[in-house]
Amino acid sequence: MDSNHFVKDPNVAVDDLRAAAETLIEKLQNDDYYEANEVINNINKQRDSLIFNNVGKLTRALHNAIVNFNVDAGEAEEGSDLSDKSQISDASDRLNYVLELTQGAADKTMDRVEACAPIAADISSESSQLREEWKRLKRREMKPEEFRQLYYRMDEFFARIGSGADQLGTNLQEIILEQGYQDLTGQVLKKVIRLISDVESELVQLVRIAGQVEDVAGFKSKADHEAAAEQNASGEGPQIKAKQRSDVMASQDEVDDLLSSLGF
Amino acid sequence: MDKNMKILIVDDFSTMRRIIKNLLRDLGFTNTQEADDGQTALPMLKNGDFDFLVTDWNMPGMTGIELLRQVRADERLGSLPVLMVTAEAKREQIVEAAQNGVNGYVVKPFTAQALKEKIEKIFERVG
């Protein structure tokens, strides 16, 4: 057997195996045990070589993938000092930044809304009280002393409306500005999405090669249903394609229907 | 419904805790406390005579479904009303929560109206 046999693809290897099996049967039928043993040894050798060869390929591909990531990182991050960091840890930093930014924006927005609420409530209650007083005035039910009070109260209210509206305006403007996080996080997310799809295409290559090794070596991967059960318990997060999935509830109404079918 | 009842809000995101807290305040419930996962929530529940638990599902440490199981397994907390407010929306998960004795299930993103309805419904039943 020459060394060229060692770099065959698995399909050719399977053909070789069949041929060897036929030879083996033939030798055994002819009581040629020494030659039969030789055939078995050759089959073993060939199988081992194929595994080693594929593990080699896998290692090389993995190495290339890692090298390529680092090269890409160097290009994308020109002038940055991230060279001692992997793309993946950089991506987690970026995602953490998204987390911080969205949290900050949500907090500031809610702060502003909470600052607006009492101003609006005050305007609403004071204006409805003044409207009642005004109606009394129109019905000429008001004494001169009461009118004098209303007069000053109106004056004060106009001033309050003015400054309240200014504060509301400022807060609304701040809320608009806070939405800038969408732009910043969007850019970061796009970068991370690009990285993930790069990693995926490299991984697909690795899986293909690893699959060949598994086929030859007879390894089995973890059963799918075990993995699914683990996923359910730890939670999956928001469903982004709920309408297209039959195992996912697309709305609160569907959840309610399901629960009522369970006797809720 | 007793507006003064003590409510524990469990979610790992402070933003979501704040949103729920605000909605509850709008509904007149001001006696609320917060925890960021099941592990922090459970001792609070055991020591704190809470009347109502609002929990997320997906949290680090201890998940909401595990917290629900622990609450139902506890002698004293066993009948505590529990509302799940979560992004988990798979059929199996909702069935699992129901089997573990959840009292209501709201999927995120939710409306103030949905939250109000579920809470009212829970206390209609519990009395």
Side-chain angles (χ1 to χ4, degrees):
Chain A
M1 189 179 285
D2 65 45
S3 64
N4 281 342
H5 279 93
F6 297 164
V7 286
K8 275 177 179 165
D9 77 61
N11 290 333
V12 177
V14 169
D15 288 344
D16 278 358
L17 198 61
R18 285 212 185 90
E22 278 165 27
T23 320
L24 181 61
I25 291 167
E26 196 186 302
K27 299 287 178 202
L28 285 174
Q29 278 167 347
N30 294 336
D31 290 342
D32 201 344
Y33 295 118
Y34 179 76
E35 295 245 340
N37 234 346
E38 270 302 282
V39 175
I40 292 172
N41 279 340
N42 276 338
I43 292 175
N44 273 338
K45 253 190 229 163
Q46 204 171 339
R47 178 177 172 276
D48 290 348
S49 308
L50 193 67
I51 293 173
F52 288 137
N53 180 39
N54 278 315
V55 168
K57 269 199 220 166
L58 185 68
T59 313
R60 210 159 32 245
L62 188 59
H63 177 74
N64 285 343
I66 291 166
V67 168
N68 285 341
F69 286 153
N70 288 337
V71 170
D72 289 349
E75 280 167 4
E77 295 290 335
E78 226 171 336
S80 78
D81 55 0
L82 292 170
S83 49
D84 58 336
K85 254 184 160 180
S86 79
Q87 270 278 69
I88 300 296
S89 74
D90 177 43
S92 341
D93 284 352
R94 286 169 186 277
L95 290 178
N96 275 322
Y97 171 71
V98 170
L99 219 57
E100 278 167 28
L101 221 57
T102 49
Q103 162 134 32
D107 281 343
K108 279 184 201 146
T109 304
M110 285 191 284
D111 286 345
R112 294 290 169 172
V113 170
E114 282 173 3
C116 285
I119 301 172
D122 175 54
I123 292 177
S124 162
S125 79
E126 183 68 2
S127 71
S128 69
Q129 282 175 36
L130 285 172
R131 203 159 51 229
E132 287 309 309
E133 296 289 298
W134 193 251
K135 278 181 195 158
R136 283 181 59 217
L137 178 70
K138 285 204 289 188
R139 290 196 300 263
R140 296 171 192 280
E141 294 169 3
M142 204 168 255
K143 294 177 193 139
E145 180 53 32
E146 283 177 322
F147 176 72
R148 218 189 318 277
Q149 275 180 14
L150 178 63
Y151 177 86
Y152 287 117
R153 204 170 153 187
M154 290 289 250
D155 199 42
E156 197 203 323
F157 182 58
F158 289 143
R160 241 154 80 195
I161 291 182
S163 70
D166 286 348
Q167 285 176 52
L168 289 179
T170 313
N171 282 332
L172 290 175
Q173 196 57 42
E174 289 290 332
I175 289 172
I176 295 275
L177 286 179
E178 272 309 316
Q179 308 312 305
Y181 80 89
Q182 167 66 17
D183 173 23
L184 299 174
T185 57
Q187 292 180 39
V188 172
L189 290 177
K190 273 186 191 163
K191 274 204 163 174
V192 174
I193 289 168
R194 205 185 312 136
L195 168 70
I196 290 172
S197 63
D198 287 352
V199 172
E200 190 192 18
S201 61
E202 298 285 350
L203 281 179
V204 167
Q205 288 294 336
L206 290 185
V207 165
R208 194 171 295 144
I209 298 166
Q212 292 172 359
V213 175
E214 281 184 3
D215 282 349
V216 178
F219 299 144
K220 278 212 172 84
S221 45
K222 197 175 197 179
D224 283 349
H225 61 88
E226 278 176 38
E230 278 172 23
Q231 175 71 49
N232 267 349
S234 65
E236 202 168 313
Q239 295 293 343
I240 46 176
K241 287 188 174 169
K243 289 203 169 75
Q244 290 156 36
R245 281 178 61 171
S246 59
D247 62 335
V248 166
M249 304 293 109
S251 68
Q252 182 66 42
D253 284 345
E254 283 186 30
V255 173
D256 292 347
D257 287 349
L258 176 61
L259 285 174
S260 69
S261 76
L262 294 167
F264 267 70
Chain B
M1 208 185 320
D2 175 17
K3 295 277 184 187
N4 238 337
M5 67 176 166
K6 202 166 158 192
I7 306 174
L8 183 63
I9 304 164
V10 190
D11 199 306
D12 51 334
F13 277 85
S14 64
T15 311
M16 188 47 71
R17 291 200 298 271
R18 197 166 160 188
I19 290 173
I20 295 172
K21 196 177 163 177
N22 268 304
L23 288 172
L24 289 172
R25 194 195 297 138
D26 276 354
L27 297 174
F29 303 102
T30 49
N31 192 4
T32 54
Q33 286 190 30
E34 300 176 28
D36 60 2
D37 86 324
Q39 249 157 24
T40 339
L42 198 58
M44 288 174 79
L45 289 167
K46 284 185 174 169
N47 303 322
D49 64 319
F50 282 93
D51 303 299
F52 187 34
L53 169 64
V54 180
T55 182
D56 184 23
W57 181 310
N58 193 352
M59 295 178 287
M62 191 195 290
T63 61
I65 191 75
E66 185 54 34
L67 177 63
L68 175 63
R69 280 195 205 105
Q70 301 265 358
V71 163
R72 288 291 174 255
D74 188 281
E75 210 177 303
R76 219 169 49 79
L77 298 172
S79 60
L80 178 75
V82 179
L83 175 67
M84 273 203 135
V85 180
T86 171
E88 303 300 325
K90 279 172 82 175
R91 178 183 299 273
E92 296 159 41
Q93 291 175 310
I94 297 163
V95 172
E96 191 183 350
Q99 283 166 347
N100 281 292
V102 82
N103 300 84
Y105 201 102
V106 175
V107 281
K108 294 177 191 168
F110 58 93
T111 61
Q113 188 58 29
L115 190 70
K116 182 169 180 263
E117 274 172 21
K118 300 308 157 205
I119 293 175
E120 279 169 357
K121 211 169 154 192
I122 288 172
F123 286 95
E124 235 168 67
R125 277 161 204 271
V126 177

